Amino acid sequence: MQLIPAINDGFWFCKHTWKRSRLNTFWCLLGCSIGDFGTIFAFQMIEHSWSVWQVMTLAIINGLLTSIALETIILTKQMAIRLAFKTAIGMSFISMIAMEIAMNITDVILTGGAMLTWWAIPIMLLVGFLTPWPYNYWRLKKYNESCH
């Protein structure tokens, strides 16, 4: 069994799946960004002795928590809250982790630290979106599983 389908088998060329996975990835990005950017902004506004990596670690954790919360809320329209929470964690956690790490590494590379700047935010969001999107497509196409 092939883990990653070959390009020539047509697996990667389904417009409907790319569209659906784009929407799923967007919701994940929205949820992750709320906690992530909120944490970085808070630390930007206060005096603190935390290292860049400590702030980024907390930002990643908070991003994961807000993404899970948002996805759980969205899923409660389709299922009970307990199942919605389990589904939100089970189906997209890898995607969320990849997104968070990509966004925070991009921030450090661009700004030299845990800093939100008007010009870095769009790049962080783009990298955060593009990083998990192929995985979300693959999971949706292969298993017909998504979070939304």
Side-chain angles (χ1 to χ4, degrees):
M1 183 170 92
Q2 212 176 341
L3 182 62
I4 300 175
I7 294 293
N8 61 358
D9 69 4
F11 180 89
W12 294 101
F13 298 102
C14 178
K15 288 180 185 179
H16 176 266
T17 305
W18 278 114
K19 185 178 179 180
R20 181 68 183 175
S21 64
R22 181 180 68 217
L23 182 61
N24 295 347
T25 304
F26 168 77
W27 283 115
C28 187
L29 181 66
L30 179 63
C32 283
S33 298
I34 292 168
D36 192 316
F37 289 173
T39 301
I40 294 170
F41 181 74
F43 274 89
Q44 222 173 301
M45 295 293 113
I46 64 169
E47 290 288 326
H48 64 86
S49 59
W50 286 38
S51 73
V52 169
W53 298 110
Q54 288 173 317
V55 173
M56 289 302 191
T57 300
L58 183 60
I60 288 170
I61 291 168
N62 288 340
L64 294 171
L65 292 173
T66 55
S67 186
I68 291 167
L70 178 64
E71 291 186 27
T72 300
I73 290 167
I74 291 167
L75 287 168
T76 57
K77 296 176 184 191
Q78 303 168 22
M79 57 190 74
I81 192 164
R82 187 179 193 140
L83 183 58
F85 176 74
K86 185 178 176 182
T87 302
I89 289 178
M91 285 199 225
S92 64
F93 202 65
I94 291 171
S95 177
M96 287 185 248
I97 290 171
M99 180 179 286
E100 281 292 333
I101 290 171
M103 286 173 50
N104 284 283
I105 288 173
T106 301
D107 187 21
V108 171
I109 289 170
L110 294 176
T111 67
M115 298 177 60
L116 296 178
T117 61
W118 67 268
W119 58 270
I121 290 172
I123 299 167
M124 292 168 63
L125 290 169
L126 180 64
V127 170
F129 179 83
L130 293 175
T131 299
W133 190 15
Y135 170 79
N136 291 341
Y137 173 94
W138 171 80
R139 187 165 179 99
L140 182 59
K141 186 75 174 167
K142 185 168 177 90
Y143 299 110
N144 196 30
E145 290 181 346
S146 68
C147 292
H148 312 288

